[in-house]
Amino acid sequence: MPDTDAAGGIVQRGRYFDELEVGQRYLHRPGRTATEADNVLFSSVTMNTQALHLDAAYSATQPFGRRLMNSMWTLSTMVGASVTQLTQGTLVAQLGLSDVSFPAPLFHGDTLYVETEIVDMRLSASRPGQGIATLRHTGRNQDDVVVAVATRVALMWCRDAAPEGSA
């Protein structure tokens, strides 16, 4: 039965630790089309002045011939796309990111599609009622080319231990 609020409304949330299984694969939809505004704003806010993101004339002289999306935007958007399905209201803390790679570029106008596979799980030895899930996020463009991969370790609530109102 879905979680409901006091008025009987269904509460949207992610998955609790004990609702996940190793090998599950989640497709996060809709995709997100990357825009020039996304790239300029993200690069500016994060103080990343890399000309490959901001300078069209310079980028035209480089190997890809045009500006690249900031890879940190790609990583952030990839993780963010998973939140609603997996960790909204069920995450205690993000413990780490590893094995981050960007095997192909993402450009303005490309659409990023994300999937997540549950690759490992264990109950926390030091935090009763919580578990540690290892998630592998993969981002692909509209042509199904892998543009980003990252492994994320998340500390998550077990359903029976989650505080009231956490999800």
Side-chain angles (χ1 to χ4, degrees):
M1 174 176 226
D3 294 346
T4 57
D5 68 3
I10 297 174
V11 177
Q12 182 174 331
R13 64 165 173 83
R15 304 290 191 270
Y16 287 106
F17 175 81
D18 36 345
E19 294 175 323
L20 300 174
E21 294 178 22
V22 171
Q24 286 177 327
R25 193 169 59 102
Y26 292 86
L27 304 178
H28 310 299
R29 299 296 183 266
R32 176 64 158 78
T33 300
T35 69
E36 179 179 10
D38 294 328
N39 204 23
V40 171
L41 180 61
F42 187 90
S43 295
S44 298
V45 166
T46 59
M47 299 178 66
N48 182 339
T49 60
Q50 175 54 252
L52 288 171
H53 307 312
L54 301 173
D55 186 329
Y58 170 78
S59 297
T61 70
Q62 298 305 300
F64 292 108
R66 56 187 165 147
R67 285 174 289 168
L68 301 169
M69 283 301 292
N70 186 316
S71 58
M72 295 296 98
W73 180 90
T74 304
L75 176 63
S76 296
T77 302
M78 190 168 63
V79 170
S82 73
V83 168
T84 301
Q85 267 186 307
L86 295 177
T87 60
Q88 181 65 49
T90 59
L91 181 76
V92 177
Q94 177 166 289
L95 301 179
L97 288 165
S98 64
D99 306 318
V100 177
S101 65
F102 304 98
L106 190 69
F107 300 104
H108 305 156
D110 285 348
T111 301
L112 179 64
Y113 293 98
V114 180
E115 68 180 56
T116 300
E117 180 183 358
I118 312 303
V119 295
D120 193 38
M121 297 176 59
R122 68 175 178 82
L123 287 171
S124 172
S126 61
R127 299 181 67 94
Q130 298 172 8
I132 298 169
T134 303
L135 318 169
R136 181 173 300 118
H137 301 295
T138 303
R140 291 183 168 79
N141 69 13
Q142 67 281 353
D143 299 319
D144 205 34
V145 174
V146 174
V147 297
V149 179
T151 300
R152 178 175 167 219
V153 179
L155 182 63
M156 301 179 70
W157 286 109
C158 294
R159 184 180 186 96
D160 292 341
E164 184 89 20
S166 66

